[in-house]
Amino acid sequence: MRADLHVHSNASDGTDPPAEVMRRAAQAGLDVVALTDHDTVAGHAQARQALPGSLTLVPGMELSCQLEGPSRGHSVHLLAYLFDPDDPELAAETRRIRDDRVLRARAMVDRLIDLGVPVSWDDVAAIAGTAVVGRPHIARAMAACGAIASPDQAFTRDWIADGGRAYVDRYALDPVRAISLVRSAGGVAVLAHPRADRALLVSDAQIAGLAAAGLAGVEVFHPDQPEPEQASLLGLTRDLGLIATGGSDDHGSLTGHRIGSHTAPPGAYESLISQASGAQPVRGC
Ligand SMILES: [Zn+2]
Ligand SMILES: [Zn+2]
């Protein structure tokens, strides 16, 4: 059983439509794939329709959260699985996050214009299309107008990296509240990549706090998480009685198509389903 529990489509900031993501998941030999776009379930319908016979889809979402820190909060991502997509409270919060993303993206474009970058909101909106607009779309617009040579160069302190000259902070959920919203909607919550990025580190004590708040698992196996961190997180999940999960965090060509590169350990998928009541995994036919 190979389960990649973390992939994105162009319903958020991935590059491929959900149908193509499902095709690639089957091609990679996966048995289970979770579609976890940022703050939206908009890709689920197309993924269901295009689901190959060999594949099971876990409907999911990656929620944007913020942990309170000494100076300012820092971003934390929470993977939510098998929740009721029509739960009014969870749907209202994700709508609020998405609405804020547009306001924030517009504010970043304004700052770039002030810095002399010849981008416009229309360029960014055209690149995002129907997806939830985000920094990758702005980065692509910056490359398209020649301000930078390639989109990855936008993610520096000069431009739109966290704390960069044109960076604008965003609305995000408190993770304890997010866990409670997901659970109330019948879903299970897993902390995404807590050690993937120095700026986004979540400490053992913070993870223990989230476990006490109802967190079900921690994403241990993730391509940006160094192996020593994976080993230490694995020990922590055992101590705290949490499920250790894994996924590729594939964003299509943005991350070089890595679907299936990292998967959940045996039993993780079954443990997640056993705790969920808001939705069922979808089996291809
Ligand atoms: Zn993430
Ligand atoms: Zn992700």
Side-chain angles (χ1 to χ4, degrees), residues 1-234:
M1 158 83 75
R2 293 185 67 228
D4 183 339
L5 298 178
H6 188 167
V7 307
H8 295 270
S9 75
N10 67 359
S12 64
D13 58 350
T15 54
D16 296 337
E20 171 64 9
V21 177
M22 295 302 112
R23 193 194 63 74
R24 287 199 292 111
Q27 198 182 40
L30 291 170
D31 302 296
V32 175
V33 67
L35 184 62
T36 53
D37 278 305
H38 295 282
D39 310 304
T40 182
V41 297
H44 291 178
Q46 193 192 107
R48 273 171 203 270
Q49 272 167 12
L51 201 59
S54 56
L55 195 63
T56 294
L57 168 69
V58 176
M61 179 160 66
E62 186 171 15
L63 283 168
S64 305
C65 300
Q66 202 154 58
L67 264 176
E68 293 310 317
S71 50
R72 66 178 183 90
H74 82 258
S75 293
V76 174
H77 290 167
L78 194 75
L79 292 161
Y81 302 109
L82 299 167
F83 50 87
D84 173 5
D86 297 321
D87 179 81
E89 256 194 288
L90 185 58
E93 277 298 341
T94 51
R95 198 176 312 115
R96 183 167 171 200
I97 294 171
R98 290 197 303 274
D99 289 350
D100 180 74
R101 285 182 89 113
V102 175
L103 297 174
R104 169 188 185 236
R106 277 183 176 273
M108 282 193 276
V109 169
D110 288 345
R111 289 198 187 177
L112 288 169
I113 292 168
D114 288 346
L115 291 167
V117 177
V119 282
S120 72
W121 173 249
D122 288 347
D123 300 338
V124 175
I127 289 169
T130 56
V132 179
V133 67
R135 282 187 285 178
H137 306 121
I138 299 175
R140 280 160 62 188
M142 288 173 71
C145 76
I148 50 176
S150 62
D152 56 297
Q153 291 178 6
F155 293 90
T156 68
R157 304 281 286 191
D158 279 343
W159 303 115
I160 56 172
D162 287 5
R165 292 187 301 166
Y167 176 76
V168 175
D169 222 345
R170 56 187 299 193
Y171 172 72
L173 280 165
D174 173 74
V176 169
R177 175 159 150 69
I179 290 168
S180 135
L181 282 169
V182 170
R183 286 181 66 109
S184 302
V188 285
V190 170
L191 182 63
H193 50 67
R195 304 284 160 79
D197 182 335
R198 291 194 61 80
L200 309 177
L201 293 184
V202 187
S203 70
D204 286 9
Q206 285 170 321
I207 294 174
L210 297 177
L215 186 73
V218 173
E219 187 178 46
V220 172
F221 303 99
H222 182 283
D224 301 337
Q225 220 147 233
E227 266 176 41
E229 291 292 355
Q230 295 181 5
S232 118
L233 284 170
L234 197 57

Side-chain angles (χ1 to χ4, degrees), residues 251-263:
H251 281 73
S253 57
L254 206 63
T255 51
H257 296 293
R258 61 193 185 186
I259 203 162
S261 70
H262 287 66
T263 53

